[in-house]
Amino acid sequence: MTASQVAAVRAASPWQDDPYDAVVSLTQFTVPVLALAIAVRMPVWRGPGGPDRAQQTGRAAGAMTVLIGLTAAFEWAAVLLGAHATSRGTWTSVLIGGLTVVSGLTVVVTALLVRGRGPRGASARWQHDWLGDAIAVCDRIPVLRNRVGPRAMAWVRRRATTVFVGLSALAAVGIAGSLAIGERWTNPLLIAWALAIETTTFLAFCVLSNAVAGFVARPPRTRSRRVAEASMVAGCVAIQVAMAFRDALWSALGAGAVTSVPVLVTGTLGAGLLTSVVTAGLLTALPQHPNPPPVDGTSTSWTSKS
């Protein structure tokens, strides 16, 4: 966080530009979210559903470690490739020292997660999720006890995608707004583009992390809804890749550097739209499974419980 928010430190950072900064920006918000989710679950750790809780929490910790490791890899790439070599100084040495410590700790945590991994279980058999534990925690708080309950839990499960989009947009407004104010942006198209980029970033994170760790168990969905969601996520990921590697991609296409906001918007969002359409076409062309199994940590028992 210091390397991106403090001007003097950022000026000496080897990874201050994309594509390195894109990964750093993603991690500095998603890793704390995962850590907070794990911390909130601790008060009900010994409640019903211990095996599911252990598997899901282990997966969340693994996802958090992967994000940290990916960020460290990009930062080391910036160092080794000599990014901003002429502006390096004392702060650069401090940053590289911190990167060395983080990299070592990541290796240790990875080893501990692999060693402590319990018996594997299929996510389709999970009977408990993080949402249920969150409701249990709220039930212990007098102010929330009568406001958050089974009906709210059932609503979230039925409309999980809507919830993910809403949370992503809310987070994006805060981040894009702070960028616009801090950088003194006056171009409405640039501000709207930043809002779209941040929203798609967090939306992809929400859906993928939910698929990995089962934060919200979801009722079985139709094939068309699964195809639409997978295409949406593929498009969101493509937007992030196009944004992070825009200069290299534009050069490879013979278009030179990105010099205008309309080109930036068209290239990044267009890549996402094209990827979504292609993904939808490919998934639709695949033969349909006669009885598609539940996904994203969904068990058939959730239907009756909701």
Side-chain angles (χ1 to χ4, degrees):
M1 185 70 74
T2 302
S4 61
Q5 301 300 321
V6 179
V9 180
R10 183 176 179 82
S13 171
W15 47 83
Q16 61 184 272
D17 295 328
D18 290 332
Y20 319 109
D21 185 61
V23 181
V24 174
S25 298
L26 170 66
T27 305
Q28 69 181 3
F29 291 104
T30 55
V31 168
V33 167
L34 290 172
L36 178 61
I38 293 173
V40 170
R41 211 175 196 192
M42 291 299 102
V44 293
W45 186 259
R46 297 186 181 276
D52 291 349
R53 189 173 294 111
Q55 288 182 12
Q56 294 163 357
T57 306
R59 289 191 177 197
M64 188 166 57
T65 305
V66 168
L67 287 171
I68 295 173
L70 179 65
T71 303
F74 269 75
E75 291 178 343
W76 278 119
V79 173
L80 297 177
L81 292 175
H84 290 278
T86 58
S87 60
R88 296 185 182 184
T90 303
W91 273 116
T92 308
S93 301
V94 173
L95 290 174
I96 295 176
L99 175 59
T100 303
V101 173
V102 170
S103 300
L105 291 175
T106 302
V107 172
V108 172
V109 171
T110 301
L112 292 175
L113 287 174
V114 172
R115 178 179 298 182
R117 184 179 59 186
R120 297 183 181 182
S123 61
R125 298 180 181 177
W126 286 339
Q127 301 295 311
H128 297 81
D129 65 354
W130 303 66
L131 178 61
D133 285 350
I135 297 297
V137 171
C138 291
D139 193 53
R140 300 180 181 183
I141 303 173
V143 178
L144 299 177
R145 184 173 300 157
N146 297 324
R147 298 177 180 272
V148 182
R151 295 180 66 180
M153 182 167 57
W155 187 91
V156 171
R157 290 202 177 111
R158 289 194 304 268
R159 297 169 175 82
T161 301
T162 301
V163 172
F164 292 154
V165 172
L167 291 175
S168 300
L170 182 62
V173 167
I175 297 173
S178 63
L179 280 172
I181 295 172
E183 301 294 334
R184 298 182 179 180
W185 291 346
T186 58
N187 189 329
L189 182 59
L190 179 61
I191 296 173
W193 172 81
L195 181 61
I197 290 294
E198 297 296 341
T199 300
T200 54
T201 297
F202 291 118
L203 180 56
F205 167 72
C206 287
V207 177
L208 293 175
S209 63
N210 190 65
V212 170
F215 292 103
V216 179
R218 306 169 66 182
R221 290 156 291 158
T222 63
R223 184 170 188 257
S224 60
R225 288 192 63 181
R226 296 198 307 274
V227 169
E229 185 172 292
S231 303
M232 175 188 68
V233 173
C236 290
V237 173
I239 289 174
Q240 309 313 312
V241 174
M243 188 272 293
F245 295 95
R246 57 187 180 276
D247 291 333
L249 291 174
W250 263 248
S251 297
L253 294 173
V258 180
T259 57
S260 68
V261 175
V263 172
L264 178 65
V265 173
T266 303
T268 52
L269 301 187
L273 179 60
L274 178 61
T275 301
S276 292
V277 172
V278 172
T279 302
L282 292 175
L283 293 178
T284 303
L286 293 176
Q288 184 175 0
H289 194 284
N291 293 302
V295 295
D296 293 355
T298 303
S299 169
T300 53
S301 63
W302 284 115
T303 306
S304 60
K305 290 182 180 181
S306 300

